[in-house]
Amino acid sequence: MTLPAPLTGVVPPVCTPLTPEYEVDTESLTRLVDHLVGGGVNGLFILGSSSEVAYLPDGHRRTVVDTVVRHVAGQVPVLVGVIDMTTPRVLDHARTALAGGADALVATAPFYTRTHPAEIERHFGELAGRTGAPVFAYDLPVSVHTKLDPELVLRLAADGVLAGLKDSSGDETSFRKVIAGARELPDFSVLTGSETVVDAALAMGAHGAVPGLANVDPQGYVRLYEYARSGDAEKARTEQERLLDLFGMVTAGDPARMGMSSSALGAFKAALHLRGVITCPATAHPQVPLSPAEVEQVRAHLTAAGLL
Amino acid sequence: MTLPAPLTGVVPPVCTPLTPEYEVDTESLTRLVDHLVGGGVNGLFILGSSSEVAYLPDGHRRTVVDTVVRHVAGQVPVLVGVIDMTTPRVLDHARTALAGGADALVATAPFYTRTHPAEIERHFGELAGRTGAPVFAYDLPVSVHTKLDPELVLRLAADGVLAGLKDSSGDETSFRKVIAGARELPDFSVLTGSETVVDAALAMGAHGAVPGLANVDPQGYVRLYEYARSGDAEKARTEQERLLDLFGMVTAGDPARMGMSSSALGAFKAALHLRGVITCPATAHPQVPLSPAEVEQVRAHLTAAGLL
Amino acid sequence: MTLPAPLTGVVPPVCTPLTPEYEVDTESLTRLVDHLVGGGVNGLFILGSSSEVAYLPDGHRRTVVDTVVRHVAGQVPVLVGVIDMTTPRVLDHARTALAGGADALVATAPFYTRTHPAEIERHFGELAGRTGAPVFAYDLPVSVHTKLDPELVLRLAADGVLAGLKDSSGDETSFRKVIAGARELPDFSVLTGSETVVDAALAMGAHGAVPGLANVDPQGYVRLYEYARSGDAEKARTEQERLLDLFGMVTAGDPARMGMSSSALGAFKAALHLRGVITCPATAHPQVPLSPAEVEQVRAHLTAAGLL
Amino acid sequence: MTLPAPLTGVVPPVCTPLTPEYEVDTESLTRLVDHLVGGGVNGLFILGSSSEVAYLPDGHRRTVVDTVVRHVAGQVPVLVGVIDMTTPRVLDHARTALAGGADALVATAPFYTRTHPAEIERHFGELAGRTGAPVFAYDLPVSVHTKLDPELVLRLAADGVLAGLKDSSGDETSFRKVIAGARELPDFSVLTGSETVVDAALAMGAHGAVPGLANVDPQGYVRLYEYARSGDAEKARTEQERLLDLFGMVTAGDPARMGMSSSALGAFKAALHLRGVITCPATAHPQVPLSPAEVEQVRAHLTAAGLL
């Protein structure tokens, strides 16, 4: 399909269900896609951080793209993460994603290596120039360990290099500068990666949201988006606060036993499993699984939110 | 060949020469291997940070392994970096490296994702357990953004999971704890990744060094190692100070125009080009090339060190 | 005066005007107080980061407290920062501030030393317990290098240790958790330290704002607060965006010549000088003064905002 | 007394014994001074991080200076820390220290505020220029959150602004650059703040060491210094490794209950108490005290080191 410009609405970063043997569970993945598209979302972002992209070998990545693109069949646009350390490796992923039918690419700044704004600019420029595809910049300092400069983002947007921004930086001033600057760029899409301040981001003028928690409750985020778009700030806030409570599930895992990825992605998958969407809640190695007691915490959050 | 246990001596992290089209320049790479092996080094570490591994697509990585393993032909052991974000992706690289004839693997803790000591332990355990190959842990917080705990390293060494450590952490107390603990582990190799305190590391009891600058001056580091091994601290210090001055080349690149990777790897490759070892000094995208004036700074360092 | 519970509205962190000899310019300070109180603000926060508290010797701090408390004469509450490294030093400042007539104290977690949540809890507990004064926690990770945990803040609020929070952390989820939790704590005041997302913070339920930029344009922030309180989200957003543009002045200083404190505090003082509120725009040592060209940038921002 | 130029040898950062009421225990402090001077140290550094300077109100600081300067009576030079956020506050401490008889001042770069190399240069320049006293720069990124640039340190040394450097940065290349550059500056003293690589630092050419652990075992560090100065690297290494084991005491405190300052300074004071040097092992608020079981760990380290 043609990507809307700007892309708007709720675009969940789709979890990647795995079998007990850690292969991609394509049946669960298609059920998850139905759960999301049926929930009213406006696009899908596959192979992002919530998809465990950092844990998926290239073969798994290809399977995810093929499965989702074929099953979605143009109902909503499919954005594909091409997460890797530098330009040449990202370009390899981009070619595979586009061959598989991606509607747009999502890329971070270089990581692992020490980088520089001039190199970041060159990186996005090459990615867009060599693929001709719409490119979304993914600002995620917690993983990438650099912050995208808002002036750089706006310059790349004005130059046609970037089609959008997914901002998970938590830097409100930077985010707001991009939103304000994007008023002059009618095709550029500014999306928040937050789960917890989507109402505020939309009220500021963001075009949409990419919340990992939308895997668990797509209808909730779609309602929130609709309330915000129709100017009903009070209802948007109430819905957001319900989702803030639900988001408490991400700390279910004991920090003495596991890291935040194990805990948060483990909780999302446990919730999808408890809701009957996916068959197996396994997360990829070396993540630590949630204990039964921790899964019960996830269940309690779902129950409190009226999702079980 | 069989990997010595413990591995000792100078083990340069081999630069990856590229053609002007950014393909692996296999002829230059074999000349570089001859330059290093002829310079007396005790092993080669390919596909590490100084090899621009973060910038090399999988195809380039395979070419490097095949070229070096075939050309070395067992004269010295070849350690191969399997640098990627998490266990499943690292395992893919490990299988390729071992199929290509790697004598040992070198892996970091997981990165990009938020991790935890229990997950790091599981990561190295799986890598060793599933491949059966000797595994060196690579402690590089500047890239990985976590520090390996010395007690964890020693426990994994005692359990036979790790064959060695390449420590580029700059944490002297941690490094010294591993050296002290390794006295009970006769096969475990403790290597410093420093260019500038190799004499001190060897005096503390480290088994060897993996200095990127040894690409440029392998004889210098081999002399330094021999002086240190024979207990001639004064000569070792003098040689190390000469190499400290030479190492000044890594700041040749203007920090207003480029990052530290562009500057340091650009300088190493410019030096290899000026010394006639490699045909083209290009570094991979999106690194910024050194200007002619910056290359002249590299030349001045080589001249001062008596290498031109 | 008695501190309202909860404290609400606009509470500027008052700049500290200096003479050319770097003494406190008490005449300018009283004019600045009149400028702010006359602008409709709901309280004053003296000796915070925007007051250059880190640069003020104890004698200067005393002069500021005495001057402001006497001049305000109970028109609005005066909160006093007691910024120092640990509990015993903070207690010394607290005694001086309360003797001078402070209505409340504002303190960060310990800094310079490496700390721990249990120590942070003990720190605030002692400060409140030994002084009996209302204590606001100041969450400023950019200076303090730890983040206050929202559960800890709420527990201290429920225990009567904390009267409020000034959140300059930029962590939206944490901030929102405190706002949500504070619904059960009718006396607890949640204030944002942001200049640029005050509309969003108020829409979420924050009680007020402590924006450094309110020194320059108190009326703007008071209007913004009134629009938000009356539910006029659109007008609040428009006013906030005007202030976002005005806030651009903080990058007037060349980052090759000076740090962010020199640039931002230099810009605020230059603006107050250009607006005729203070006599001399000097900032304390070792901050670098703005150049005339940089002051012109500040002037341009004032002109664009209709403030000159 | 006149400060030797360069200052050499072992210069312990003297702990500050407290009474159970958290006043300075001047009797214990003079016993500690005797313990250190009698142990053969070459100078004393009071009011540094190991002195809990961050926790001492100004009154306590004055008491420490007066007590130590009077008791030392010129046997060894007394360096005094003037640790505070910025130049004006540091100057206040400097005046007090010099009035109390300090032989030299020790200052960090500005902290809490965001700073810049140009401001750091100005900071040290003012401190030296306005006091006329010898100034040592204290490089402690773990507390100050910036790293001193080695070229800046050498420039300030050449300009007569700095009399020496206490390097606790853990950046070996930077430290070595300063040592190498200081060969041209015969009066400039380069001291390591490390407890665990003093042998290596001295072998590189450092003039001395400022190890917190020397409070507990001054004789050990004096022996280490003498071995290193006489060129007996093997004995120096053996002594250093004994001290490395002893240094294990700093992790006696449970990290789930307390921070590193509580644990390390608590261990030093517990050791001094167990050795009969000080009367009470209390550490200042809000540090968490060691439990009896944790004190037993400290005792075990002392016993293993032959110090009980």
Side-chain angles (χ1 to χ4, degrees):
Chain A
M1 75 168 295
T2 308
L3 187 77
L7 178 66
T8 61
V10 178
V11 185
V14 185
C15 286
T16 307
L18 299 176
T19 68
E21 295 76 30
Y22 303 101
E23 297 300 321
V24 178
D25 176 351
T26 55
E27 290 192 20
S28 288
L29 181 54
T30 55
R31 278 202 304 276
L32 175 55
V33 166
D34 289 341
H35 166 69
L36 298 171
V37 175
V41 305
N42 307 87
L44 297 176
F45 169 32
I46 56 175
L47 301 182
S49 301
S50 297
S51 317
E52 295 174 87
V53 68
Y55 300 87
L56 301 182
D58 288 356
H60 286 47
R61 293 190 182 199
R62 269 192 300 274
T63 302
V64 169
V65 175
D66 291 347
T67 303
V68 172
V69 168
R70 186 174 316 125
H71 191 71
V72 166
Q75 299 171 82
V76 295
V78 178
L79 289 72
V80 180
V82 289
I83 308 302
D84 216 315
M85 296 174 251
T86 65
T87 319
R89 293 186 61 83
V90 168
L91 279 169
D92 263 14
H93 295 297
R95 288 180 200 108
T96 306
L98 293 169
D103 294 306
L105 305 173
V106 184
T108 68
F111 56 90
Y112 183 86
T113 189
R114 281 176 285 179
T115 189
H116 185 277
E119 298 166 7
I120 294 171
E121 182 157 9
R122 201 175 182 191
H123 174 70
F124 285 115
E126 291 224 11
L127 181 57
R130 290 183 178 242
T131 63
V135 172
F136 284 68
Y138 188 0
D139 196 7
L140 186 69
V142 73
S143 290
V144 174
H145 299 281
T146 53
K147 166 82 189 77
L148 292 180
D149 177 68
E151 274 79 28
L152 173 58
V153 168
L154 287 169
R155 192 163 67 243
L156 291 172
D159 291 351
V161 168
L162 291 181
L165 171 71
K166 183 199 166 194
D167 189 316
S168 299
S169 72
D171 183 329
E172 304 152 328
T173 301
S174 170
F175 184 60
R176 189 145 211 170
K177 279 186 187 170
V178 175
I179 290 174
R183 296 252 162 74
E184 317 287 310
L185 302 161
D187 294 347
F188 187 72
S189 173
V190 186
L191 308 174
T192 177
S194 173
E195 269 93 358
T196 58
V197 292
V198 175
D199 57 340
L202 295 171
M204 288 180 202
H207 297 90
V210 190
L213 186 63
N215 281 280
V216 178
D217 188 5
Q219 284 90 350
Y221 280 100
V222 169
R223 276 195 301 271
L224 166 50
Y225 177 70
E226 295 301 336
Y227 292 141
R229 210 174 53 161
S230 65
D232 193 336
E234 185 55 30
K235 279 194 177 160
R237 187 169 67 83
T238 304
E239 187 67 35
Q240 177 66 84
E241 293 189 358
R242 193 185 62 82
L243 291 163
L244 176 69
D245 285 344
L246 182 64
F247 189 61
M249 72 168 62
V250 300
T251 56
D254 178 359
R257 284 202 310 121
M258 69 183 73
M260 262 309 288
S261 174
S262 294
S263 178
L265 300 183
F268 289 168
K269 285 188 150 180
L272 287 169
H273 183 235
L274 291 167
R275 296 201 73 194
V277 179
I278 68 174
T279 302
C280 164
T283 51
H285 283 247
Q287 291 171 97
V288 172
L290 296 188
S291 70
E294 290 162 350
V295 171
E296 287 311 300
Q297 287 188 44
V298 175
R299 186 194 302 273
H301 275 102
L302 291 174
T303 304
L307 295 175
L308 273 191
Chain B
M1 73 169 297
T2 310
L3 187 77
L7 178 66
T8 61
V10 177
V11 184
V14 185
C15 286
T16 306
L18 299 175
T19 68
E21 294 77 29
Y22 303 101
E23 298 299 322
V24 179
D25 176 351
T26 56
E27 289 192 20
S28 288
L29 180 54
T30 55
R31 277 202 305 275
L32 176 54
V33 166
D34 289 340
H35 167 69
L36 298 172
V37 175
V41 305
N42 307 88
L44 297 176
F45 169 34
I46 56 176
L47 301 183
S49 301
S50 297
S51 316
E52 295 173 88
V53 68
Y55 300 86
L56 300 182
D58 289 356
H60 285 48
R61 292 191 182 199
R62 270 192 300 274
T63 303
V64 170
V65 174
D66 291 348
T67 304
V68 172
V69 168
R70 186 174 315 125
H71 191 71
V72 166
Q75 298 172 81
V76 295
V78 179
L79 290 72
V80 180
V82 289
I83 309 302
D84 216 314
M85 294 174 252
T86 65
T87 319
R89 293 186 61 83
V90 168
L91 279 168
D92 263 14
H93 295 297
R95 287 181 200 107
T96 306
L98 293 169
D103 295 306
L105 306 173
V106 184
T108 68
F111 56 91
Y112 184 86
T113 188
R114 281 176 284 178
T115 188
H116 186 275
E119 296 166 7
I120 294 172
E121 182 158 8
R122 201 176 181 191
H123 174 69
F124 285 115
E126 291 224 11
L127 181 57
R130 288 182 179 243
T131 64
V135 172
F136 284 68
Y138 189 0
D139 196 8
L140 186 69
V142 73
S143 290
V144 174
H145 298 282
T146 54
K147 167 82 190 76
L148 292 180
D149 177 68
E151 274 77 29
L152 172 58
V153 168
L154 287 169
R155 192 164 66 244
L156 291 172
D159 292 350
V161 168
L162 290 181
L165 171 71
K166 183 198 167 194
D167 188 316
S168 298
S169 72
D171 182 329
E172 304 153 326
T173 300
S174 170
F175 184 61
R176 188 144 212 170
K177 279 186 187 170
V178 174
I179 290 173
R183 296 253 161 74
E184 318 286 309
L185 302 161
D187 294 348
F188 187 72
S189 173
V190 186
L191 308 174
T192 177
S194 173
E195 268 94 358
T196 58
V197 292
V198 175
D199 57 339
L202 296 171
M204 287 181 202
H207 297 90
V210 189
L213 187 63
N215 282 280
V216 178
D217 189 4
Q219 284 89 351
Y221 280 100
V222 169
R223 275 194 302 272
L224 166 50
Y225 177 70
E226 295 300 337
Y227 291 142
R229 208 174 55 163
S230 66
D232 193 337
E234 185 56 29
K235 280 193 176 159
R237 187 168 68 83
T238 305
E239 187 68 34
Q240 176 66 83
E241 292 189 0
R242 193 185 62 83
L243 291 163
L244 176 68
D245 285 344
L246 182 63
F247 190 62
M249 72 169 62
V250 300
T251 55
D254 177 0
R257 284 202 311 122
M258 69 183 72
M260 261 309 288
S261 173
S262 294
S263 178
L265 300 183
F268 289 168
K269 284 188 152 180
L272 287 168
H273 183 236
L274 290 166
R275 296 201 73 193
V277 179
I278 68 174
T279 301
C280 165
T283 51
H285 283 248
Q287 291 173 96
V288 172
L290 297 187
S291 70
E294 291 163 349
V295 171
E296 286 312 300
Q297 287 188 45
V298 175
R299 186 195 301 273
H301 275 104
L302 291 174
T303 303
L307 294 175
L308 273 191
Chain C
M1 73 169 297
T2 309
L3 186 77
L7 178 65
T8 60
V10 177
V11 185
V14 184
C15 286
T16 306
L18 300 176
T19 68
E21 296 76 30
Y22 304 102
E23 297 300 321
V24 178
D25 176 351
T26 55
E27 291 193 19
S28 288
L29 181 54
T30 55
R31 278 202 304 276
L32 176 54
V33 166
D34 289 340
H35 167 68
L36 297 172
V37 175
V41 305
N42 307 86
L44 296 177
F45 169 34
I46 56 175
L47 301 182
S49 301
S50 296
S51 317
E52 296 173 87
V53 68
Y55 300 86
L56 300 182
D58 287 357
H60 285 47
R61 292 189 182 199
R62 269 192 301 272
T63 304
V64 170
V65 173
D66 291 347
T67 304
V68 172
V69 168
R70 186 175 315 125
H71 192 70
V72 166
Q75 300 171 81
V76 295
V78 178
L79 290 72
V80 180
V82 288
I83 309 301
D84 215 314
M85 296 174 251
T86 65
T87 318
R89 293 187 62 82
V90 168
L91 278 169
D92 263 14
H93 295 296
R95 287 180 201 108
T96 307
L98 293 169
D103 295 305
L105 305 173
V106 184
T108 68
F111 56 90
Y112 184 86
T113 187
R114 281 175 285 180
T115 189
H116 185 277
E119 297 166 7
I120 294 171
E121 182 158 8
R122 200 175 182 188
H123 174 70
F124 285 114
E126 292 224 11
L127 181 56
R130 289 180 178 244
T131 63
V135 173
F136 282 69
Y138 189 178
D139 196 8
L140 186 68
V142 73
S143 290
V144 175
H145 299 281
T146 53
K147 166 83 190 76
L148 292 180
D149 178 67
E151 273 80 28
L152 172 58
V153 168
L154 288 168
R155 192 164 65 245
L156 291 172
D159 292 351
V161 169
L162 291 182
L165 170 72
K166 183 199 167 195
D167 188 317
S168 299
S169 73
D171 183 329
E172 304 152 328
T173 300
S174 170
F175 184 60
R176 189 143 212 171
K177 280 186 186 170
V178 175
I179 290 173
R183 296 253 162 74
E184 318 286 310
L185 303 160
D187 293 347
F188 187 73
S189 173
V190 186
L191 308 175
T192 177
S194 174
E195 268 94 358
T196 58
V197 293
V198 174
D199 57 340
L202 295 171
M204 287 181 203
H207 297 91
V210 190
L213 186 64
N215 282 279
V216 179
D217 188 6
Q219 284 90 349
Y221 280 100
V222 169
R223 276 195 301 272
L224 167 50
Y225 176 70
E226 295 301 336
Y227 291 142
R229 210 173 54 161
S230 66
D232 193 337
E234 185 55 29
K235 279 193 177 160
R237 187 168 67 83
T238 304
E239 188 67 34
Q240 176 66 83
E241 292 190 1
R242 193 185 62 83
L243 291 163
L244 175 70
D245 286 344
L246 182 63
F247 190 60
M249 72 169 61
V250 299
T251 56
D254 178 359
R257 285 202 311 121
M258 69 183 70
M260 262 308 289
S261 173
S262 295
S263 177
L265 300 183
F268 288 168
K269 285 188 150 180
L272 287 168
H273 183 236
L274 291 167
R275 296 201 74 192
V277 179
I278 68 175
T279 301
C280 164
T283 51
H285 282 249
Q287 290 172 98
V288 172
L290 297 188
S291 70
E294 290 163 349
V295 171
E296 287 312 299
Q297 287 187 46
V298 175
R299 186 194 302 273
H301 275 102
L302 291 173
T303 305
L307 295 174
L308 274 191
Chain D
M1 73 169 297
T2 310
L3 187 77
L7 178 66
T8 60
V10 177
V11 184
V14 184
C15 286
T16 306
L18 299 177
T19 68
E21 294 77 31
Y22 304 100
E23 297 300 321
V24 178
D25 176 352
T26 55
E27 289 193 21
S28 287
L29 181 54
T30 56
R31 278 203 304 276
L32 175 54
V33 166
D34 289 340
H35 166 69
L36 297 172
V37 175
V41 305
N42 308 87
L44 296 177
F45 169 34
I46 57 175
L47 301 183
S49 302
S50 297
S51 316
E52 295 173 87
V53 69
Y55 300 87
L56 301 182
D58 288 356
H60 285 47
R61 291 189 183 200
R62 270 192 300 274
T63 303
V64 170
V65 174
D66 291 347
T67 304
V68 172
V69 168
R70 185 174 317 123
H71 191 70
V72 165
Q75 301 172 79
V76 295
V78 178
L79 290 73
V80 180
V82 288
I83 308 302
D84 216 315
M85 294 174 253
T86 65
T87 318
R89 293 186 62 82
V90 168
L91 278 169
D92 263 14
H93 294 297
R95 288 180 201 109
T96 307
L98 293 169
D103 295 305
L105 306 173
V106 184
T108 67
F111 55 91
Y112 184 86
T113 188
R114 281 176 285 178
T115 188
H116 185 277
E119 296 166 6
I120 293 172
E121 182 158 8
R122 200 175 183 190
H123 174 69
F124 285 115
E126 292 224 11
L127 180 57
R130 288 180 179 242
T131 63
V135 173
F136 284 68
Y138 189 179
D139 196 8
L140 185 69
V142 72
S143 290
V144 174
H145 298 282
T146 53
K147 166 81 190 78
L148 292 180
D149 178 67
E151 274 78 30
L152 172 58
V153 168
L154 288 169
R155 191 165 65 245
L156 292 172
D159 291 351
V161 169
L162 291 181
L165 170 72
K166 184 199 166 194
D167 188 317
S168 298
S169 73
D171 183 329
E172 304 152 328
T173 300
S174 170
F175 184 60
R176 189 145 211 169
K177 280 186 186 168
V178 175
I179 290 174
R183 296 253 162 73
E184 318 286 310
L185 302 161
D187 294 347
F188 187 72
S189 173
V190 186
L191 308 175
T192 178
S194 174
E195 269 93 358
T196 58
V197 293
V198 175
D199 58 339
L202 295 171
M204 288 181 203
H207 297 91
V210 190
L213 186 64
N215 281 280
V216 179
D217 189 6
Q219 285 89 350
Y221 280 100
V222 169
R223 274 195 303 272
L224 166 50
Y225 176 70
E226 295 300 337
Y227 291 142
R229 207 174 56 161
S230 66
D232 194 337
E234 185 56 28
K235 279 192 178 160
R237 187 168 67 83
T238 304
E239 189 67 35
Q240 176 66 84
E241 293 189 359
R242 192 185 62 82
L243 291 162
L244 176 69
D245 285 345
L246 182 64
F247 189 60
M249 72 170 61
V250 300
T251 56
D254 178 0
R257 284 202 311 122
M258 69 183 71
M260 261 309 289
S261 174
S262 294
S263 178
L265 300 183
F268 289 168
K269 285 187 150 180
L272 286 169
H273 183 236
L274 291 167
R275 295 201 74 193
V277 179
I278 68 174
T279 301
C280 164
T283 51
H285 282 247
Q287 290 172 97
V288 172
L290 297 187
S291 70
E294 290 162 350
V295 172
E296 287 311 299
Q297 287 187 45
V298 175
R299 186 195 302 274
H301 275 103
L302 290 174
T303 304
L307 295 175
L308 275 190

